[in-house]
């Protein structure tokens, strides 16, 4: 098929044109592909790439070194200086005919070229760095089908004719057409600017590359790639546009302009002063050469002062620091997508973090379950056994475990120690009928089928394969693995669902492919959403029964192979009668079966029956519901995520539409009837999933606390599970299980939300750290911090009129844990009062997270927020820094974020904070050195101008020497100080927030060092006795080149030693700490020393220098080293800086926060207690 035909199809998006070429199937066939299997081999893929092109997008053209050099020279002050130098050369050769005149002009030109060349090299290198970063940022994987197998594919390797696997949250890598899909909704906002969701079906199949798939799943055929796509054409048009400056760059540009204006003022004043003093000295005006030479010399000096004063190194320093930091952050598993976010992270005062995969390892493991009305748990060595729980060796119970539990009469899901309830029979099992091997297997088969059919999760097992290149080491993925490879799973999809699929495979032998193949296509699927907290799939009754029969047979075969069942039972393999009995318990010849999986406490209220171990469905009364709630609480109190698995059979007259209805009509009918279908469910079981806390997280959270950053957990989990994990992380103070007395410490709240009651408890526990925050004008406050006043209540809901139980909990230190439904019911005034103490937001939705972010911004916090789902995008965009997860995060979340955490690890976020603070810190170091040299050079030049009768030939710092110094403090200092690696001490400083770039301590250091250097230079310039003694001058050398060279040499060494002090700007005494780790700083210092030796010894007339004796060199270095003791003296002068680490170290916070314990989980703290807010009589 012609490339132009495919291009026109993708561009015009006309269904009629698509039908003319045979539809999607016809295009695939013409391309040599298949809508089911994709390309059959690699040769076909290569052929498609050669014919239709690759999927590479245009890249921004980088400027070469010569272009950078021209840009550097195309500066007004440098142009004026070059012109003045050329005039000096012409004047010296043709008018004055003095060698020193034209040599000085050549020296100025040489210095200008060197300075510009060094600046150009640095800019060229950092330009290449950013190109490499952009390539890293754009690289990602998608899923394609080739040879009938799903596989990962780098987006650059996608070709026309590939079959894309579509999943919610992905950004489409190219233009394509839908083959099949469920509820596909895309946003083309990034392409067309229209924010409305577009539904994609066979009637409207065209999808544009670069658009975001916000909902649904399916498959699509690739039509165009790379520059032939709509997105590719847009990128091509924008590729050469420059990126806007970051806020820090803009701020430094403004500062550089201000300093430049001051320099221009000094330059003008110096010129006027030199000319005035010269004419006041009564010169011979007839000596034209002398007059012109003096005026021209004064002009050159004035222009040089401007060149020296204008701090080109300021924006250069931040650019270098950002490029260096961004590249280094990749090694720390952090990819920065926008420059400004790197610096903003250093100012963060609040981090709102997801739990799963960020604070925890996202290594989901099923270790507990409620099956047949009884609690089961996998046994671990050394673990304390809980009463009322049956322990086994597998993640989920086998039929033998179910039988043993039933025969032992083990009480079902009783709270520990509730012996009275057990004796009264309040927690008896749902049925007293005897449990047999067949009935136990039947109950397990129903659970396995309900989980596997209501999921798309894929788990691969790495099995050994023969490979001569790697004998005994090579592996390949296999879905239907044997027992010996079950310890090598690879989770390809949602980790929670994969954990359940893996648990069924290892505990029961249920292979997801076999059961799904037996069932075939489902009728309808309502994918999981944060708002609903559940996923629903509908199958025909026949499909359900076929899948259950396969599950029953798999369980019997697996247990026989594992020697779990006895020989007689193992030989049956499960009869047809047994299988029908199992399915009849929940389906009863149903026309269709509804499968629901999701948050246990939510689904428990929708259940009217529970599946017993006998295979029968027993009705649930109030006592049964209470028993299930206690089971869920027991799982949550041990840090487990509880997911319920439910089913419901539908009779023919209950179907929303006929099973053979068209796909779109069927979807519409089921969407409309979803609430009715999800009522009256049968609870098949509850699964408890453990996600261990990352080992490095507690330390990272403690580092955040030391850095003055409050960490808040936002999770969709049960509040009890969330609080358990928060204690393990250190977000909440660690406490043991509460005693009965502590559990009775309940505050009665008549209505929720009841902020006064919460306030009372916070006040009693947080003590003097309570902060009263009042916003007199919320609208003005919102505008001030960049929050749209119309959106600051987005996601909030009105408080309910009736009283209802509260799950809000206040810990000993006044830290609050709350559920999203209660948080969003608070008024703006109440949220502002509560949020400073909020630590855990459980059962929260993305809108709750957005509400929290906007509230924190109103409190003037700099907010970083994590997210992984497509619906997290609003909160990620609203935050100052959105942090998307690189592994679990969808492409929609990544597009909405400014930073991608490549390993999904909270510790990487803390490292990003450290790097962000390092950027600001390094710029401040550069400013200390830059401003010190500026003050000294400008003052010395101006004073000498007035004291030298206008003679520019006897300056202690000549034009060429000043340009060399300018090189030292601009390009060289930028390289040395802007690339300082971050230290852990940065996390001991208070958050910078919106603090000024120049602190009081910096002003003190600049002032003390400048005063000393000005005094020393002027003293040795004008005092002949001191100069002769210290510089070992011979008679007649004072005021001559040897004397002035010594002054220049000493001045450079003063700055070299001052550079060491500039590395530490918080009055630290040990200025050498970490110096050996800063390789670039050592290299730059070495280059400066080598360059200074060459200039002094061999500069001659070009640099107006002369060779010095060893004694003179030693004295210059010794006098330069006086910067060290002077720097230490300045550090001994006490000064309070509210922006400095002293503010944090001694408790001077701009906004006090509640204290938090740093003890590890499991340590009992004296006086630890918990208060739960509830309505009267609520449990």
């Amino acid at each position: 098929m012609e490339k132009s035909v495919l291009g026109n199809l993708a561009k015009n998006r006309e269904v009629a044109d698509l039908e003319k070429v045979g539809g999607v199937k016809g295009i695939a066939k013409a391309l040599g592909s298949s809508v089911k299997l994709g390309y059959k081999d690699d040769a076909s893929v290569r052929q498609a790439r050669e014919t239709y092109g690759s999927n590479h997008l245009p890249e921004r053209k980088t400027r070469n070194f010569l272009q950078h050099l021209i840009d550097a020279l195309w500066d007004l002050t440098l142009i004026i200086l070059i012109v003045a130098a050329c005039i000096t050369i012409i004047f010296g050769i043709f008018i004055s005919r003095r060698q020193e005149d034209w040599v000085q002009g050549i020296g100025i030109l040489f210095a200008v070229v060197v300075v510009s060349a060094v600046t150009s090299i640095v800019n060229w290198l950092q330009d290449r760095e950013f190109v490499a970063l952009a390539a890293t940022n754009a690289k990602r994987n998608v899923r394609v089908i080739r040879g009938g197998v799903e596989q990962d594919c780098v987006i650059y390797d996608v070709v026309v004719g590939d079959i894309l696997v579509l999943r919610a949250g992905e950004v489409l890598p190219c233009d394509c057409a839908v083959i099949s899909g469920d509820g596909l909704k895309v946003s083309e906002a990034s392409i067309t600017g229209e924010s409305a969701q577009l539904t994609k079906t066979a009637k409207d199949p065209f999808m544009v590359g670069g658009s975001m798939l916000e909902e649904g799943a399916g498959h699509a055929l690739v039509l165009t790639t790379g520059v032939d796509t709509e997105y590719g054409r847009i990128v091509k048009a924008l590729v050469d546009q420059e990126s806007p400056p970051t806020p820090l760059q803009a701020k430094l540009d403004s500062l550089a302009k201000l300093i430049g204006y001051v320099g221009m003022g000094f330059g003008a004043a110096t010129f006027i002063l030199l000319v005035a003093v010269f004419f006041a000295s009564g010169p011979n005006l007839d000596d034209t050469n002398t007059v012109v030479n003096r005026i021209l010399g004064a002009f050159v000096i004035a222009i040089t002062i401007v060149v020296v004063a204008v701090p080109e190194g300021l924006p250069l320093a931040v650019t270098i620091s950002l490029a260096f930091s961004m590249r280094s952050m990749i090694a720390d598993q952090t990819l920065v997508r926008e420059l400004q976010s790197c610096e903003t992270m250093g100012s963060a005062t609040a981090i709102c973090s997801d739990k799963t995969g960020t604070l925890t390892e996202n290594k989901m493991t099923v270790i507990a379950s409620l099956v047949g009305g009884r609690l089961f748990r996998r046994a671990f060595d050394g673990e304390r056994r809980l009463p009322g729980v049956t322990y086994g060796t597998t993640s989920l119970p086998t039929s033998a475990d179910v039988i043993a539990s039933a025969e032992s009469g083990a009480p079902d899901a009783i709270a520990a120690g509730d012996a009275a309830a057990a004796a009264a029979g309040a927690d008896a099992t749902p049925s007293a009928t005897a449990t047999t091997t067949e009935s136990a297997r039947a109950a397990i088969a129903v659970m396995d089928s309900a989980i596997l059919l209501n999921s798309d999760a894929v788990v691969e097992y790495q099995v050994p394969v023969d490979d001569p290149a790697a004998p005994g080491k090579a592996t390949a993925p296999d879905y239907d693995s044997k027992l010996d490879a079950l310890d090598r799973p690879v989770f390809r999809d949602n980790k929670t669902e994969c954990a359940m699929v893996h648990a069924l495979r290892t505990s029961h032998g249920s292979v997801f492919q076999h059961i799904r193949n037996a069932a075939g296509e489902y009728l309808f699927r309502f994918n999981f959403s944060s708002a609903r907290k559940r996923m629903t799939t509908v199958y025909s009754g026949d499909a359900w029964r076929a899948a259950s029969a396969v599950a029953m047979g798999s369980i019997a075969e697996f247990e026989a192979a594992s020697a779990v069942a006895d020989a007689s039972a193992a030989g049956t393999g499960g009869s047809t009668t047994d299988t029908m009995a199992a399915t009849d318990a929940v389906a009863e010849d149903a026309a269709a079966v509804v499968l629901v999986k999701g948050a246990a406490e939510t689904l428990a209220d929708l259940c009217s029956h529970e599946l017993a171990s006998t295979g029968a469905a027993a009705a649930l009364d109030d006592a049964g519901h209470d028993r299930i709630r206690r089971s869920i609480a027991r799982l949550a109190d041990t840090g487990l995520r509880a997911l319920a698995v439910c089913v419901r059979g539908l009779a023919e007259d209950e179907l929303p539409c006929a099973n053979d209805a068209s796909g779109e009509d069927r979807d519409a009918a089921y969407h409309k009837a979803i609430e009715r279908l999800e009522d009256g469910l049968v609870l098949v079981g509850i699964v408890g999933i453990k996600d261990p806390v990352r080992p490095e997280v507690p330390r990272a959270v403690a580092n955040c606390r030391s850095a003055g950053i409050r960490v808040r957990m936002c999770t969709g989990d049960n509040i009890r599970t969330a609080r358990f994990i928060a204690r393990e992380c250190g977000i909440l103070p660690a406490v043991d299980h509460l005693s009965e007395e502590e559990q009775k410490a309940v505050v009665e709240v008549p209505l929720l939300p009841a902020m006064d009651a919460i306030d009372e408890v916070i006040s009693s526990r947080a003590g003097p750290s309570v902060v009263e925050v009042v916003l007199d004008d919320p609208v003005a406050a919102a505008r001030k911090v960049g929050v749209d006043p119309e959106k600051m209540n987005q996601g909030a809901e009105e408080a309910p009129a009736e009283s209802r139980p509260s799950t809000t909990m206040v810990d000993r230190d006044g830290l609050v844990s709350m559920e999203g439904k209660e948080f969003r019911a608070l008024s703006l005034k109440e949220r502002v009062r509560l949020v400073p103490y909020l630590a855990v937001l459980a059962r929260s939705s993305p809108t709750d997270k957005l509400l929290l972010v906007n509230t924190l911004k109103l409190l003037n916090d700099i907010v970083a927020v994590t997210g992984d789902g497509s619906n997290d995008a609003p909160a990620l965009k609203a935050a100052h820094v959105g942090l998307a997860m690189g592994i679990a995060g969808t492409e929609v979340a990544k597009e909405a974020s400014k930073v991608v955490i490549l390993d999904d690890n909270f510790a990487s976020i803390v490292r990003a904070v450290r790097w962000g603070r390092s950027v600001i810190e390094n710029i401040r170091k550069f400013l200390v050195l830059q401003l010190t040299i500026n003050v000294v050079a400008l003052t010395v030049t101006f004073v000498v101008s007035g004291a030298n009768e206008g003679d520019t030939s006897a300056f202690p710092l000549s034009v060429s020497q000043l340009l060399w110094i300018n090189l030292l403090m601009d390009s060289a200092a930028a390289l040395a100080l802007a690339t300082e690696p971050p230290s852990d001490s940065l996390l001991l400083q208070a958050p910078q927030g919106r603090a000024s770039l120049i602190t009081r301590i910096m002003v003190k250091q600049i002032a003390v060092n400048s005063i000393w250097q000005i005094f020393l230079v002027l003293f040795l310039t004008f005092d002949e006795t001191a100069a002769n003694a210290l510089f070992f001058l011979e008679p007649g050398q004072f005021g001559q080149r040897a004397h002035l060279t010594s002054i220049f040499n000493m001045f450079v060494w003063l700055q070299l030693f001052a550079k060491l002090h500039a590395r530490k700007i918080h009055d630290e005494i040990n200025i050498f700490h970490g110096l050996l780790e800063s390789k670039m700083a050592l290299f730059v210092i070495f280059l400066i020393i080598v360059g200074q030796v060459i200039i002094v010894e061999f500069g001659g007339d070009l640099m107006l220098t002369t060779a010095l004796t060893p004694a003179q060199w030693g004295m210059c270095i010794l006098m330069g080293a006086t910067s060290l003791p002077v720097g230490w003296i300045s550090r001994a002068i006490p000064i309070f800086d509210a922006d400095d680490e002293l503010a944090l170290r001694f408790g001077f916070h701009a906004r006090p926060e509640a204290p938090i314990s740093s003890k590890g989980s499991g340590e009992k703290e004296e006086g630890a207690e918990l208060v739960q807010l509830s309505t009267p009589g609520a449990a």
Side-chain angles (χ1 to χ4, degrees), residues 774-794 828 831-832 851 853-861 878 880 994:
V774 179
L775 291 179
D776 296 326
D777 188 352
V779 173
R783 286 176 177 155
K784 184 178 179 181
V785 296
V787 177
D788 186 345
E790 297 181 0
K791 295 182 179 180
M792 62 184 174
N793 279 315
Q794 186 176 345
L828 175 62
R831 285 202 311 276
V832 167
L851 199 59
V853 168
N854 283 335
T855 306
L856 286 167
K857 290 172 72 175
L858 283 176
L859 293 171
N860 214 33
D861 271 302
H880 294 98
R994 296 178 173 85

Side-chain angles (χ1 to χ4, degrees), residues 89-105:
I89 294 172
I90 294 172
F91 177 80
I93 294 175
F94 299 106
I95 299 176
S96 69
R97 301 182 184 276
R98 292 194 309 176
Q99 181 180 347
E100 57 266 27
D101 287 341
W102 64 263
V103 169
Q104 183 180 9

Side-chain angles (χ1 to χ4, degrees), residues 61-402:
K61 294 180 180 178
T62 58
R63 292 178 294 178
N64 56 37
F65 170 73
L66 183 59
Q67 290 171 316
H68 279 292
L69 180 61
I70 294 173
D71 286 344
L73 291 170
W74 201 254
D75 179 86
L76 180 59
T77 53
L78 285 181
I79 291 173
I80 294 174
L81 192 59
I82 292 171
V83 171
C86 292
I87 293 174
T88 302
I89 294 172
I90 294 172
F91 177 80
I93 294 175
F94 299 106
I95 299 176
S96 69
R97 301 182 184 276
R98 292 194 309 176
Q99 181 180 347
E100 57 266 27
D101 287 341
W102 64 263
V103 169
Q104 183 180 9
I106 293 176
I108 293 171
L109 288 179
F110 175 76
V112 167
V113 171
V114 170
V115 170
S116 300
V118 172
T119 303
S120 303
I121 291 172
V122 173
N123 284 334
W124 176 61
L125 291 175
Q126 66 90 13
D127 205 13
R128 295 179 61 187
E129 282 286 304
F130 280 120
V131 169
L133 284 170
T136 304
N137 188 14
K139 188 176 180 179
R140 59 186 174 90
N141 285 350
V142 293
R143 298 282 283 179
V144 298
I145 296 177
R146 290 176 181 171
V149 178
E150 272 193 31
Q151 55 187 269
D152 286 326
C153 177
V154 179
I155 58 168
Y156 304 134
D157 295 335
V158 175
V159 298
V160 172
D162 263 332
I163 308 302
L164 281 178
V165 180
L166 305 175
R167 286 177 183 157
E170 293 185 342
V171 175
L172 300 177
C174 39
D175 293 347
C176 51
V178 174
I179 298 171
S180 61
D182 300 305
L184 294 172
K185 292 185 178 181
V186 300
S187 169
E188 297 181 355
S190 60
I191 307 298
T192 64
E194 298 293 333
S195 58
Q197 283 187 339
L198 303 176
T199 301
K200 294 298 176 180
T201 63
K203 295 180 181 178
D204 182 15
F206 295 103
M207 295 193 292
V208 182
S211 58
M212 299 181 184
L213 183 61
E214 297 189 341
E215 294 182 20
H219 299 88
L221 177 72
V222 175
L223 299 178
T224 58
T225 57
V227 293
D228 297 321
T229 64
E230 184 70 24
Y231 184 63
R233 287 189 286 271
I234 294 174
V235 171
K236 186 177 181 180
L238 300 176
V239 72
D240 291 327
Q241 290 188 4
E242 293 291 335
S243 300
T246 74
L248 184 58
Q249 285 174 324
K251 187 184 295 186
L252 288 174
D253 284 342
S254 300
L255 181 60
K257 287 179 181 178
L258 177 61
I259 297 173
Y261 291 145
V262 173
M264 290 172 66
F266 263 91
T270 302
F271 176 75
I272 294 171
L273 181 62
L274 283 170
V275 174
V277 170
F278 170 66
F279 282 107
S281 64
N284 180 9
L285 299 180
D286 294 333
D287 187 357
T288 308
N289 288 350
T290 302
V291 173
V292 172
N293 192 34
R294 287 292 186 91
I295 294 176
L296 190 59
F299 180 72
V300 171
I301 290 268
I303 295 299
T304 305
I305 287 176
V306 175
V307 173
V308 173
V310 174
E312 302 95 341
L314 268 180
L316 178 64
V318 70
T319 303
I320 293 172
S321 186
L322 287 171
F324 172 74
S325 297
M326 289 173 67
R327 172 59 64 183
S328 301
M329 287 170 75
I330 291 179
D332 277 345
Q333 301 300 310
T334 305
L335 175 63
V336 178
R337 301 183 69 249
E338 292 186 12
L339 271 178
Q340 67 182 52
S341 58
C342 185
E343 63 199 50
T344 308
M345 276 302 296
S347 304
T349 59
I351 297 177
C352 302
S353 175
D354 287 340
K355 176 185 74 69
T356 304
T358 307
L359 297 171
T360 60
E361 295 181 353
N362 203 15
K363 293 180 179 178
M364 303 293 185
T365 306
V366 176
I367 64 171
S369 60
L370 177 73
V371 180
R374 290 177 169 79
L375 271 177
F376 297 87
R377 193 176 180 102
R378 182 178 175 183
F380 294 94
D381 293 339
E383 183 184 37
R384 182 167 63 93
R385 299 294 177 94
L386 301 175
V389 179
T390 301
Y391 285 84
T393 58
T394 55
S395 297
L396 291 172
T398 63
S399 61
D401 293 330
V402 174

